[in-house]
Amino acid sequence: LMSIMSNMETYMLQKRTKNRTESGYEKPFWEDAGSIEVSAFETDETLVHSSERYRSASHVGFTYYEGLQSGVYRLQKDGIIYEITSCNAKIVPANLLLKVVSSDA
């Protein structure tokens, strides 16, 4: 775990908010909520996992940041957007399952 945590990098944390349009439609958008340190690694596609959530994840991550929730927050780094599909914040460091949803790279 120590070597995993020594690979921390800075990601932009974005929070999902809703903006009401003139017609009354609530359009979701993402606003920057600050920088956090995350250690993220690509998942090993050669292993078989029983969890559908893990199978759909492109990366696993760890962070000491508290308060993350899947569906509320996402991460962005170097033009790549990572959806937080699962967050186990009951342990320290928090365990994240991430899925690349957009890439400019």
Side-chain angles (χ1 to χ4, degrees), residues 6 13-14 18 20 22 24 27 29 31 33 39 45-47 50 55 61 64 70 78 82 87-89 93 97:
S6 66
L13 180 65
Q14 296 179 321
K18 292 181 180 173
R20 190 175 296 275
E22 291 181 18
K27 181 180 180 182
F29 73 100
E31 64 181 4
S39 183
E45 296 171 0
T46 62
L47 298 175
S50 60
R55 278 198 302 266
Y64 288 106
S70 60
D78 299 331
Y82 302 87
C87 176
N88 183 353
L97 291 180

Side-chain angles (χ1 to χ4, degrees), residues 24-35:
Y25 173 72
E26 286 189 354
K27 181 180 180 182
F29 73 100
W30 296 91
E31 64 181 4
D32 292 347
S35 298

Side-chain angles (χ1 to χ4, degrees), residues 11-97:
Y11 286 73
M12 176 56 67
L13 180 65
Q14 296 179 321
K15 185 174 183 178
R16 183 185 188 122
T17 59
K18 292 181 180 173
N19 187 17
R20 190 175 296 275
T21 64
E22 291 181 18
S23 65
Y25 173 72
E26 286 189 354
K27 181 180 180 182
F29 73 100
W30 296 91
E31 64 181 4
D32 292 347
S35 298
I36 67 169
E37 296 295 311
V38 177
S39 183
F41 302 91
E42 287 189 44
T43 56
D44 187 346
E45 296 171 0
T46 62
L47 298 175
V48 177
H49 300 282
S50 60
S51 166
E52 180 59 37
R53 243 186 224 163
Y54 191 90
R55 278 198 302 266
S56 68
S58 61
H59 293 73
V60 293
F62 304 93
T63 185
Y64 288 106
Y65 186 87
E66 296 180 11
L68 289 181
Q69 297 174 333
S70 60
V72 177
Y73 293 99
R74 70 181 186 182
L75 301 174
Q76 188 270 334
K77 180 172 177 58
D78 299 331
I80 301 172
I81 296 173
Y82 302 87
E83 175 187 356
I84 300 173
T85 59
S86 177
C87 176
N88 183 353
K90 295 175 185 164
I91 57 173
V92 176
N95 184 341
L96 308 173
L97 291 180

Side-chain angles (χ1 to χ4, degrees), residues 1-10 37-41 62-64 93:
L1 183 64
M2 186 56 99
S3 63
I4 291 173
M5 299 313 291
S6 66
N7 196 24
M8 300 289 262
E9 295 183 13
T10 303
E37 296 295 311
V38 177
S39 183
F41 302 91
F62 304 93
T63 185
Y64 288 106

